[in-house]
Amino acid sequence: MFYHKKRLQYFTKPEKPDPVYAKQLQELIGGPFGEMSVMMQYLFQGWNCRGPAKYKDMMLDIGTEEIGHIEMLANMIAHLVDKAPPDVQEKAALDPIVEGVMGGMKTEDIIMGAMNPKHAVMSGGGALPADSVGYPWNGNYIVASGNLMADFFSNVQAEAQGRLQAVRLYEMSTDPGVKDTLSYMIARDTMHQNQWLAAIEELKADGLESLPVPSRFPQSLEKQDAAYTFWNLSEGTDSKEGRWAKGPTPDGKGEFQYLENPEGQSPMGEAPVPNPKLYSTPKQ
């Protein structure tokens, strides 16, 4: 059961409308690493969890928090797409890039050309479940495999990409309200990155998972001579200087080796003779 409280987790109203920035901010809602993605990712991971209750509870806690982050951003977009006053429109018209590309247009047409028209046509001045170019959010963005170690590494990546985009959008705004709200969301991303890294360490300490993922697959069934060799497959040998080319492996089960001039270990690939009823072009 979910229970909605009307107070936002955190929100500072923007000082003035900015429909162009509202279009950009949509990325934090419906982009591949937006709040809709992490919300659905964490909730499905939690719902599918078969492990200890503390992990399931933690995933549902953070997934529910992300619902609130979408609400914060939706409120921000609603304020940003509010009718822009004439002086804001005139300043937009003075942008030399806009003027050069769209010269001769009315100020109103320039504003409409730069903002997302769906904010006015489809959502009535509200947010959309879409990214910054209007592409609808897609369930293929989420990862919920049932293996907590694999999922938690994916979550670290999702939070890192999301925080990166939030920081970029923070730098793109001059509005104190926008920057204050984003500074809070960026801080929560800091927490969440650390949270997932801590959860990875907890899985190891609990003896549930380790590297490589999945750790319960018998490594004796691998071609073990290929498990820890780095192949140099581009011009130059700069990659030889990295931690991945020498020394003990992070899983503690091997030593990195560097192969400078690798060769294929099997004969040349050749497809079998095609079935004549498929009418593929034969060799002869």
Side-chain angles (χ1 to χ4, degrees):
M1 181 180 75
F2 288 89
Y3 184 86
H4 177 257
K5 290 191 175 183
K6 294 178 176 60
R7 289 187 63 182
L8 297 176
Q9 185 177 5
Y10 188 90
F11 185 75
T12 302
K13 183 180 176 180
E15 289 191 350
K16 56 186 178 181
D18 188 343
V20 176
Y21 188 79
K23 176 181 179 180
Q24 298 164 337
L25 199 61
Q26 278 285 159
E27 195 67 28
L28 295 189
I29 289 183
F33 304 107
E35 301 294 336
M36 288 186 68
S37 292
V38 290
M39 173 196 74
M40 295 294 280
Q41 181 154 310
Y42 304 158
L43 289 177
F44 271 94
Q45 288 175 3
W47 291 328
N48 294 341
C49 180
R50 304 295 190 270
K54 63 180 178 181
Y55 293 108
K56 184 181 184 77
D57 193 35
M58 176 267 289
M59 288 184 280
L60 294 178
D61 283 339
I62 183 174
T64 304
E65 179 183 359
E66 302 296 1
I67 301 175
H69 290 181
I70 298 170
E71 187 176 21
M72 291 162 56
L73 290 169
N75 272 267
M76 182 63 73
I77 285 174
H79 285 286
L80 290 170
V81 298
D82 193 24
K83 183 174 176 60
D87 63 320
V88 174
Q89 298 181 10
E90 289 165 8
K91 288 177 182 177
L94 295 176
D95 187 316
I97 298 176
V98 173
E99 193 174 44
V101 174
M102 308 179 75
M105 293 178 65
K106 294 180 181 178
T107 303
E108 296 81 10
D109 292 335
I110 294 173
I111 295 293
M112 287 302 295
M115 69 180 285
N116 184 348
K118 288 187 175 183
H119 279 153
V121 176
M122 291 187 65
S123 64
L128 297 159
D131 66 13
S132 57
V133 295
Y135 187 82
W137 182 83
N138 191 321
N140 287 326
Y141 295 154
I142 76 166
V143 175
S145 70
N147 181 292
L148 293 184
M149 183 69 87
D151 286 351
F152 291 176
F153 272 111
S154 178
N155 296 349
V156 173
Q157 184 256 0
E159 291 288 347
Q161 292 288 348
R163 189 175 189 274
L164 174 62
Q165 292 181 358
V167 166
R168 287 172 173 169
L169 281 159
Y170 178 92
E171 297 291 356
M172 291 164 64
S173 177
T174 58
D175 189 294
V178 171
K179 294 177 86 72
D180 188 59
T181 300
L182 287 181
S183 71
Y184 179 86
M185 298 188 71
I186 291 166
R188 293 308 294 163
D189 288 340
T190 297
M191 168 58 197
H192 294 159
Q193 285 187 40
N194 281 282
Q195 173 183 325
W196 294 121
L197 290 168
I200 288 169
E201 293 305 312
E202 187 98 348
L203 281 174
K204 295 177 184 177
D206 287 346
L208 295 173
E209 285 286 349
S210 61
L211 296 176
V213 179
S215 57
R216 291 189 299 278
F217 180 79
Q219 284 195 267
S220 60
L221 299 180
E222 296 181 7
K223 296 292 185 184
Q224 295 184 59
D225 57 346
Y228 299 112
T229 303
F230 181 90
W231 282 34
N232 174 35
L233 288 169
S234 61
E235 187 176 8
T237 59
D238 291 342
S239 58
K240 190 174 185 178
E241 304 305 316
R243 169 68 180 82
W244 51 84
K246 54 184 176 295
T249 57
D251 63 12
K253 300 175 183 177
E255 291 278 330
F256 283 125
Q257 303 295 323
Y258 186 85
L259 187 57
E260 188 165 326
N261 297 300
E263 294 286 344
Q265 299 175 357
S266 300
M268 183 182 299
E270 186 173 353
V273 176
N275 184 329
K277 291 187 177 180
L278 297 179
Y279 297 97
S280 299
T281 303
K283 262 189 167 183
Q284 295 180 345

